[in-house]
Amino acid sequence: MEDSSQGSFVTTINEDYYESVCWGCGLNLVLPSYAPVFKCGWCGAITNQNPVRPQTRSFGLRRVRDRFFVAILAVFMLFVICGGIWAAYPVVFSISLVCGIFHSVIAVSLAMSTLSTFMVVAFKCAGKPIDIVYGTHPGVGNGALNNYTFCHTCAKPKSPRTHHCRTCGMCILDMDHHCPFIGNCVGAGNHKNFVAFLISAIISTSYASVMCVYSLIHILAPLENGAAYASHAKSASILRGVKSIALAYLSNAIFISLRGLILLYLFVASVSVAIGLSVLLWQQLSYIYEGKTYLSHLSSQGSEEDGEKSCRNLLTFFGCPLSIERHLPTIRNLRKRHKT
């Protein structure tokens, strides 16, 4: 029915439709009854009529778990630093004073770098979303909240790359993942610090493993019949020669001292940690190269959405100057020509 005198229109709504309100701009919308999730045609906000609220019952247990893992990691780093200095550096100083001072400076520098980056990434805010205006039609422009969703736990809008962390109890901007070993999320605020921590930890553990092997060689008793092992290595293949020398050292390792046992354990632990962190660093750099985070990579699986793979993403992430970016198109074109 139309009333032209008052300039208003009255329309009956079919039973297959219902009225709803967009949380982004506050406009009334007429939607099909089978549409629990809809996108506003004005502001672009996405509304979920049946939101899944995160469980908060195990929030305290997850925080205790994170504190436990952080304590384990801190104790391990202190053990590698203090145990390595106690076990390796008497051997290094016995060789030469200059050599001992040189390696001491390197060890202290790597230890301070690793511990400082760990403290920053663990206690720095992972990324707080920006407060924006929502809920009023005059204040929200056309497409201002495109693909935004609403977090019912924080009672705030979420951008497409913002996720709510159940462990931290807040929304994280550009959230990559929640790492229990640092007790914090990795997001826009500390992602660069997290990558710097991985690089520093890999260099430190690699250096520790090399120094452990170097010290073990000087601690173990000299090989008996060294000339025979050397001639065997020359006559046979290199692999067999290395195997023979390794077996000789293992036979002498029966009489290894406490210092040697600690060096052996530090070597195995350092190599294991270095390998694991190297895989994690490669994964992080791959996602950055693709212009994604770990969570956005998971959400884009099975869809046609794909980020722009470019070295520019890496340079932008690390804050490199624009002068380096000018050479990237040439490199990209060379790769395309090579493929064709």
Side-chain angles (χ1 to χ4, degrees), residues 20-41:
S20 182
V21 179
C22 173
W23 65 265
C25 57
L27 294 178
N28 294 324
L29 304 176
V30 179
L31 305 169
S33 57
Y34 55 85
V37 180
F38 62 89
K39 183 176 181 179
C40 179

PDB file of all heavy atoms in Angstrom, residues 20-41:
ATOM      1  N   SER A  20      16.669  -7.621   9.667  1.00  0.00           N
ATOM      2  CA  SER A  20      17.839  -7.675  10.524  1.00  0.00           C
ATOM      3  C   SER A  20      18.538  -6.324  10.469  1.00  0.00           C
ATOM      4  O   SER A  20      18.257  -5.494   9.607  1.00  0.00           O
ATOM      5  CB  SER A  20      18.792  -8.791  10.081  1.00  0.00           C
ATOM      6  OG  SER A  20      19.907  -8.868  10.960  1.00  0.00           O
ATOM      7  N   VAL A  21      19.440  -6.108  11.391  1.00  0.00           N
ATOM      8  CA  VAL A  21      20.171  -4.851  11.492  1.00  0.00           C
ATOM      9  C   VAL A  21      21.648  -5.133  11.278  1.00  0.00           C
ATOM     10  O   VAL A  21      22.211  -6.070  11.879  1.00  0.00           O
ATOM     11  CB  VAL A  21      19.946  -4.179  12.863  1.00  0.00           C
ATOM     12  CG1 VAL A  21      20.740  -2.884  12.963  1.00  0.00           C
ATOM     13  CG2 VAL A  21      18.468  -3.918  13.082  1.00  0.00           C
ATOM     14  N   CYS A  22      22.283  -4.344  10.437  1.00  0.00           N
ATOM     15  CA  CYS A  22      23.727  -4.472  10.207  1.00  0.00           C
ATOM     16  C   CYS A  22      24.468  -3.835  11.376  1.00  0.00           C
ATOM     17  O   CYS A  22      24.197  -2.686  11.740  1.00  0.00           O
ATOM     18  CB  CYS A  22      24.104  -3.803   8.892  1.00  0.00           C
ATOM     19  SG  CYS A  22      25.891  -3.735   8.594  1.00  0.00           S
ATOM     20  N   TRP A  23      25.385  -4.571  11.955  1.00  0.00           N
ATOM     21  CA  TRP A  23      26.136  -4.039  13.088  1.00  0.00           C
ATOM     22  C   TRP A  23      27.090  -2.928  12.658  1.00  0.00           C
ATOM     23  O   TRP A  23      27.486  -2.084  13.471  1.00  0.00           O
ATOM     24  CB  TRP A  23      26.941  -5.142  13.759  1.00  0.00           C
ATOM     25  CG  TRP A  23      28.023  -5.725  12.894  1.00  0.00           C
ATOM     26  CD1 TRP A  23      27.959  -6.838  12.119  1.00  0.00           C
ATOM     27  CD2 TRP A  23      29.344  -5.199  12.716  1.00  0.00           C
ATOM     28  NE1 TRP A  23      29.126  -7.053  11.458  1.00  0.00           N
ATOM     29  CE2 TRP A  23      30.013  -6.055  11.812  1.00  0.00           C
ATOM     30  CE3 TRP A  23      30.035  -4.098  13.220  1.00  0.00           C
ATOM     31  CZ2 TRP A  23      31.327  -5.843  11.397  1.00  0.00           C
ATOM     32  CZ3 TRP A  23      31.340  -3.879  12.817  1.00  0.00           C
ATOM     33  CH2 TRP A  23      31.980  -4.748  11.915  1.00  0.00           C
ATOM     34  N   GLY A  24      27.483  -2.902  11.390  1.00  0.00           N
ATOM     35  CA  GLY A  24      28.458  -1.939  10.928  1.00  0.00           C
ATOM     36  C   GLY A  24      27.911  -0.533  10.779  1.00  0.00           C
ATOM     37  O   GLY A  24      28.497   0.436  11.265  1.00  0.00           O
ATOM     38  N   CYS A  25      26.763  -0.423  10.086  1.00  0.00           N
ATOM     39  CA  CYS A  25      26.199   0.906   9.816  1.00  0.00           C
ATOM     40  C   CYS A  25      24.841   1.124  10.469  1.00  0.00           C
ATOM     41  O   CYS A  25      24.325   2.243  10.450  1.00  0.00           O
ATOM     42  CB  CYS A  25      26.087   1.132   8.309  1.00  0.00           C
ATOM     43  SG  CYS A  25      25.106  -0.121   7.443  1.00  0.00           S
ATOM     44  N   GLY A  26      24.240   0.060  11.036  1.00  0.00           N
ATOM     45  CA  GLY A  26      22.962   0.202  11.724  1.00  0.00           C
ATOM     46  C   GLY A  26      21.761   0.253  10.825  1.00  0.00           C
ATOM     47  O   GLY A  26      20.657   0.558  11.298  1.00  0.00           O
ATOM     48  N   LEU A  27      21.906  -0.031   9.533  1.00  0.00           N
ATOM     49  CA  LEU A  27      20.778  -0.014   8.609  1.00  0.00           C
ATOM     50  C   LEU A  27      19.952  -1.276   8.751  1.00  0.00           C
ATOM     51  O   LEU A  27      20.474  -2.367   9.023  1.00  0.00           O
ATOM     52  CB  LEU A  27      21.277   0.126   7.169  1.00  0.00           C
ATOM     53  CG  LEU A  27      21.966   1.453   6.801  1.00  0.00           C
ATOM     54  CD1 LEU A  27      22.450   1.400   5.364  1.00  0.00           C
ATOM     55  CD2 LEU A  27      21.012   2.624   7.004  1.00  0.00           C
ATOM     56  N   ASN A  28      18.627  -1.144   8.555  1.00  0.00           N
ATOM     57  CA  ASN A  28      17.730  -2.287   8.561  1.00  0.00           C
ATOM     58  C   ASN A  28      17.793  -2.978   7.203  1.00  0.00           C
ATOM     59  O   ASN A  28      17.700  -2.326   6.155  1.00  0.00           O
ATOM     60  CB  ASN A  28      16.299  -1.862   8.863  1.00  0.00           C
ATOM     61  CG  ASN A  28      16.150  -1.330  10.278  1.00  0.00           C
ATOM     62  OD1 ASN A  28      16.796  -1.826  11.199  1.00  0.00           O
ATOM     63  ND2 ASN A  28      15.304  -0.315  10.460  1.00  0.00           N
ATOM     64  N   LEU A  29      17.928  -4.283   7.225  1.00  0.00           N
ATOM     65  CA  LEU A  29      18.049  -5.066   6.003  1.00  0.00           C
ATOM     66  C   LEU A  29      16.974  -6.126   5.977  1.00  0.00           C
ATOM     67  O   LEU A  29      16.571  -6.663   7.021  1.00  0.00           O
ATOM     68  CB  LEU A  29      19.432  -5.724   5.919  1.00  0.00           C
ATOM     69  CG  LEU A  29      20.642  -4.784   6.010  1.00  0.00           C
ATOM     70  CD1 LEU A  29      21.931  -5.604   6.012  1.00  0.00           C
ATOM     71  CD2 LEU A  29      20.637  -3.803   4.846  1.00  0.00           C
ATOM     72  N   VAL A  30      16.505  -6.441   4.783  1.00  0.00           N
ATOM     73  CA  VAL A  30      15.546  -7.519   4.563  1.00  0.00           C
ATOM     74  C   VAL A  30      16.298  -8.671   3.925  1.00  0.00           C
ATOM     75  O   VAL A  30      16.842  -8.543   2.818  1.00  0.00           O
ATOM     76  CB  VAL A  30      14.378  -7.064   3.664  1.00  0.00           C
ATOM     77  CG1 VAL A  30      13.413  -8.208   3.438  1.00  0.00           C
ATOM     78  CG2 VAL A  30      13.663  -5.883   4.296  1.00  0.00           C
ATOM     79  N   LEU A  31      16.347  -9.804   4.620  1.00  0.00           N
ATOM     80  CA  LEU A  31      17.196 -10.921   4.205  1.00  0.00           C
ATOM     81  C   LEU A  31      16.386 -12.194   4.083  1.00  0.00           C
ATOM     82  O   LEU A  31      15.335 -12.346   4.736  1.00  0.00           O
ATOM     83  CB  LEU A  31      18.317 -11.136   5.220  1.00  0.00           C
ATOM     84  CG  LEU A  31      19.205  -9.924   5.522  1.00  0.00           C
ATOM     85  CD1 LEU A  31      20.075 -10.219   6.725  1.00  0.00           C
ATOM     86  CD2 LEU A  31      20.052  -9.586   4.320  1.00  0.00           C
ATOM     87  N   PRO A  32      16.863 -13.134   3.260  1.00  0.00           N
ATOM     88  CA  PRO A  32      16.213 -14.449   3.218  1.00  0.00           C
ATOM     89  C   PRO A  32      16.394 -15.176   4.543  1.00  0.00           C
ATOM     90  O   PRO A  32      17.377 -14.980   5.258  1.00  0.00           O
ATOM     91  CB  PRO A  32      16.952 -15.163   2.080  1.00  0.00           C
ATOM     92  CG  PRO A  32      17.610 -14.081   1.288  1.00  0.00           C
ATOM     93  CD  PRO A  32      17.916 -12.987   2.251  1.00  0.00           C
ATOM     94  N   SER A  33      15.432 -16.025   4.857  1.00  0.00           N
ATOM     95  CA  SER A  33      15.466 -16.735   6.137  1.00  0.00           C
ATOM     96  C   SER A  33      16.580 -17.761   6.188  1.00  0.00           C
ATOM     97  O   SER A  33      16.970 -18.207   7.263  1.00  0.00           O
ATOM     98  CB  SER A  33      14.125 -17.427   6.401  1.00  0.00           C
ATOM     99  OG  SER A  33      13.819 -18.317   5.333  1.00  0.00           O
ATOM    100  N   TYR A  34      17.102 -18.156   5.051  1.00  0.00           N
ATOM    101  CA  TYR A  34      18.149 -19.171   5.019  1.00  0.00           C
ATOM    102  C   TYR A  34      19.538 -18.543   4.941  1.00  0.00           C
ATOM    103  O   TYR A  34      20.503 -19.199   4.548  1.00  0.00           O
ATOM    104  CB  TYR A  34      17.952 -20.113   3.828  1.00  0.00           C
ATOM    105  CG  TYR A  34      17.869 -19.405   2.491  1.00  0.00           C
ATOM    106  CD1 TYR A  34      19.005 -19.065   1.783  1.00  0.00           C
ATOM    107  CD2 TYR A  34      16.622 -19.075   1.950  1.00  0.00           C
ATOM    108  CE1 TYR A  34      18.922 -18.402   0.569  1.00  0.00           C
ATOM    109  CE2 TYR A  34      16.530 -18.416   0.737  1.00  0.00           C
ATOM    110  CZ  TYR A  34      17.688 -18.089   0.044  1.00  0.00           C
ATOM    111  OH  TYR A  34      17.604 -17.440  -1.155  1.00  0.00           O
ATOM    112  N   ALA A  35      19.679 -17.269   5.264  1.00  0.00           N
ATOM    113  CA  ALA A  35      20.968 -16.584   5.185  1.00  0.00           C
ATOM    114  C   ALA A  35      21.445 -16.199   6.584  1.00  0.00           C
ATOM    115  O   ALA A  35      21.229 -15.071   7.024  1.00  0.00           O
ATOM    116  CB  ALA A  35      20.870 -15.345   4.302  1.00  0.00           C
ATOM    117  N   PRO A  36      22.115 -17.133   7.308  1.00  0.00           N
ATOM    118  CA  PRO A  36      22.613 -16.786   8.646  1.00  0.00           C
ATOM    119  C   PRO A  36      23.790 -15.817   8.607  1.00  0.00           C
ATOM    120  O   PRO A  36      24.052 -15.117   9.571  1.00  0.00           O
ATOM    121  CB  PRO A  36      23.026 -18.136   9.237  1.00  0.00           C
ATOM    122  CG  PRO A  36      23.343 -18.979   8.044  1.00  0.00           C
ATOM    123  CD  PRO A  36      22.415 -18.531   6.958  1.00  0.00           C
ATOM    124  N   VAL A  37      24.512 -15.795   7.477  1.00  0.00           N
ATOM    125  CA  VAL A  37      25.646 -14.887   7.315  1.00  0.00           C
ATOM    126  C   VAL A  37      25.369 -14.007   6.101  1.00  0.00           C
ATOM    127  O   VAL A  37      25.052 -14.511   5.025  1.00  0.00           O
ATOM    128  CB  VAL A  37      26.970 -15.659   7.127  1.00  0.00           C
ATOM    129  CG1 VAL A  37      28.130 -14.699   6.960  1.00  0.00           C
ATOM    130  CG2 VAL A  37      27.223 -16.593   8.298  1.00  0.00           C
ATOM    131  N   PHE A  38      25.465 -12.705   6.274  1.00  0.00           N
ATOM    132  CA  PHE A  38      25.194 -11.799   5.163  1.00  0.00           C
ATOM    133  C   PHE A  38      26.175 -10.635   5.200  1.00  0.00           C
ATOM    134  O   PHE A  38      26.793 -10.346   6.225  1.00  0.00           O
ATOM    135  CB  PHE A  38      23.750 -11.274   5.211  1.00  0.00           C
ATOM    136  CG  PHE A  38      23.432 -10.470   6.432  1.00  0.00           C
ATOM    137  CD1 PHE A  38      23.629  -9.093   6.464  1.00  0.00           C
ATOM    138  CD2 PHE A  38      22.917 -11.079   7.567  1.00  0.00           C
ATOM    139  CE1 PHE A  38      23.333  -8.348   7.584  1.00  0.00           C
ATOM    140  CE2 PHE A  38      22.611 -10.337   8.699  1.00  0.00           C
ATOM    141  CZ  PHE A  38      22.823  -8.966   8.699  1.00  0.00           C
ATOM    142  N   LYS A  39      26.310  -9.990   4.054  1.00  0.00           N
ATOM    143  CA  LYS A  39      27.204  -8.849   3.895  1.00  0.00           C
ATOM    144  C   LYS A  39      26.380  -7.630   3.537  1.00  0.00           C
ATOM    145  O   LYS A  39      25.553  -7.676   2.618  1.00  0.00           O
ATOM    146  CB  LYS A  39      28.243  -9.126   2.803  1.00  0.00           C
ATOM    147  CG  LYS A  39      29.265  -8.014   2.611  1.00  0.00           C
ATOM    148  CD  LYS A  39      30.307  -8.417   1.583  1.00  0.00           C
ATOM    149  CE  LYS A  39      31.349  -7.324   1.397  1.00  0.00           C
ATOM    150  NZ  LYS A  39      32.398  -7.710   0.412  1.00  0.00           N
ATOM    151  N   CYS A  40      26.623  -6.547   4.262  1.00  0.00           N
ATOM    152  CA  CYS A  40      25.867  -5.323   4.041  1.00  0.00           C
ATOM    153  C   CYS A  40      26.265  -4.701   2.704  1.00  0.00           C
ATOM    154  O   CYS A  40      27.445  -4.622   2.361  1.00  0.00           O
ATOM    155  CB  CYS A  40      26.123  -4.336   5.185  1.00  0.00           C
ATOM    156  SG  CYS A  40      25.259  -2.756   5.004  1.00  0.00           S
ATOM    157  N   GLY A  41      25.251  -4.258   1.954  1.00  0.00           N
ATOM    158  CA  GLY A  41      25.522  -3.650   0.661  1.00  0.00           C
ATOM    159  C   GLY A  41      26.036  -2.227   0.757  1.00  0.00           C
ATOM    160  O   GLY A  41      26.523  -1.687  -0.240  1.00  0.00           O
TER     161      GLY A  41
END
